[in-house]
Amino acid sequence: MLSIILFVSLAFAYLFFSTPLYSVSSSILIKIDGGADFAQNTVYSELEAYESNKQVENEMEILSSYSLMRDAIEELPLDYFYYTEDKYSRKVELYGEEVPVTVKTLLKKPDVGQYPEEVRVSVKPFEDHFILIQKDNKEKAYQYGELIDNWYGEIKINKAESFQGVMPDLLHIYFKNKDQVAGLYRGRIQVNLSQRFASVFNISLVDAVPKKGEDVLNKLIEQYNLQAVKEKNVTASNTIDFINSQLDTLMRDLNIIERKVEQYRRTNNISDMGTENSLMVQS
């Protein structure tokens, strides 16, 4: 009984202090090029289904790639992560309009490099100023927008215009590297087919902040569509360039042939047959 009480208490304590995670998902339809008329044959139909499924799998690999996630992260304000604590000393992440301040990096020192995730500064925000607590626990008051030169570089902390809530007592700001953030979210992405031989697949992401998860998924799909458009534009541009080059070659060949014909007529005193026929009819 003591063991049961102990482990149940530990389970409740774990659930109480652990960070809740939320799943965000979306569905994507891939348009597959239609097959030829002979696809009505059973064998060819199976081959067409196999090729279509391969195209969908290729698109799934592209969507779950690191490079695409890196492009999506670049468009989001994920250079810094903001955390506060509730009355139970639990860590709570803030995002978007929940963040009372914004950080802007003007200059990053070259020796910072790939800084670890635990590197942070803490801020006590107020309405007209803030107190910065750095990693050496030294406190200094600053005005919003004032230049700060510290171990990281030159930064400015401004009051967020969209923030309408109550200023937290303490705000922790984690300095993030977007390459690391992209790798983090790349590991959280799950892409699965809705069913076998289907051209629809589901993409899901687990995050502590639902709004941030939505933004990451939406930006990922947006970048996926942009890359698809760019690929089609490149293909169309290459096709047009090829056609124009072929037309130029044909025009040069035709001009050469016309000059040879004209030269042959002059050499053999051959005039236009149509003109001669008209003169004969008039006579």
Side-chain angles (χ1 to χ4, degrees), residues 77-258:
L78 297 179
D79 298 278
Y80 310 93
F81 282 23
Y82 304 89
Y83 294 90
T84 185
E85 296 178 357
D86 61 9
K87 61 181 180 179
Y88 301 106
S89 299
R90 292 181 299 185
K91 191 176 180 181
V92 180
E93 183 177 357
L94 303 179
Y95 178 76
E97 296 181 354
E98 300 175 340
V99 182
V101 301
T102 59
V103 181
K104 183 179 181 180
T105 301
L106 302 179
L107 177 64
K108 186 173 70 172
K109 293 183 179 179
D111 56 346
V112 173
Q114 298 291 334
Y115 44 88
E117 292 186 358
E118 62 268 12
V119 172
R120 71 181 187 188
V121 295
S122 298
V123 173
K124 295 179 180 179
F126 299 95
E127 290 297 330
D128 56 350
H129 71 284
F130 64 92
I131 297 176
L132 181 65
I133 307 173
Q134 304 198 61
K135 58 182 181 179
D136 53 3
N137 293 326
K138 292 182 179 180
E139 298 185 5
K140 186 177 180 180
Y142 290 92
Q143 297 294 324
Y144 289 111
E146 185 178 350
L147 181 64
I148 301 173
D149 188 0
N150 59 4
W151 54 268
Y152 180 74
E154 295 180 358
I155 63 175
K156 284 186 178 182
I157 298 179
N158 299 304
K159 188 177 179 181
E161 298 180 356
S162 60
F163 181 73
Q164 300 294 335
V166 180
M167 288 288 187
D169 296 332
L170 187 63
L171 182 68
H172 303 293
I173 304 174
Y174 285 76
F175 294 85
K176 294 290 184 177
N177 185 295
K178 284 194 172 182
D179 293 335
Q180 297 175 350
V181 176
L184 174 65
Y185 279 98
R186 166 63 183 83
R188 295 181 181 178
I189 284 288
Q190 294 291 333
V191 182
N192 300 300
L193 280 173
S194 60
Q195 57 182 347
R196 190 181 180 188
F197 296 126
S199 59
V200 177
F201 55 88
N202 302 319
I203 174 172
S204 61
L205 172 67
V206 176
D207 196 82
V209 182
K211 182 63 173 64
K212 185 170 67 173
E214 291 178 9
D215 290 347
V216 171
L217 271 190
N218 288 332
K219 189 59 66 174
L220 184 69
I221 296 173
E222 178 183 332
Q223 289 296 320
Y224 171 78
N225 290 329
L226 287 176
Q227 288 197 9
V229 172
K230 289 180 180 179
E231 181 180 354
K232 291 181 180 179
N233 289 339
V234 169
T235 302
S237 178
N238 291 337
T239 303
I240 292 174
D241 292 340
F242 174 76
I243 293 175
N244 289 334
S245 65
Q246 293 298 309
L247 287 176
D248 291 340
T249 302
L250 290 175
M251 290 298 295
R252 287 195 299 269
D253 293 342
L254 288 175
N255 290 332
I256 293 173
I257 292 174
E258 288 180 355

Side-chain angles (χ1 to χ4, degrees), residues 14-15 18-24 93 188 205-210:
Y14 172 77
L15 293 176
S18 62
T19 303
L21 299 176
Y22 303 88
S23 178
V24 182
E93 183 177 357
R188 295 181 181 178
L205 172 67
V206 176
D207 196 82
V209 182

Side-chain angles (χ1 to χ4, degrees), residues 263-277:
Q263 183 66 30
Y264 179 80
R265 286 177 176 176
R266 291 177 179 177
T267 303
N268 296 276
N269 295 322
I270 299 176
S271 61
D272 188 6
M273 297 298 296
T275 303
E276 290 186 356
N277 290 335

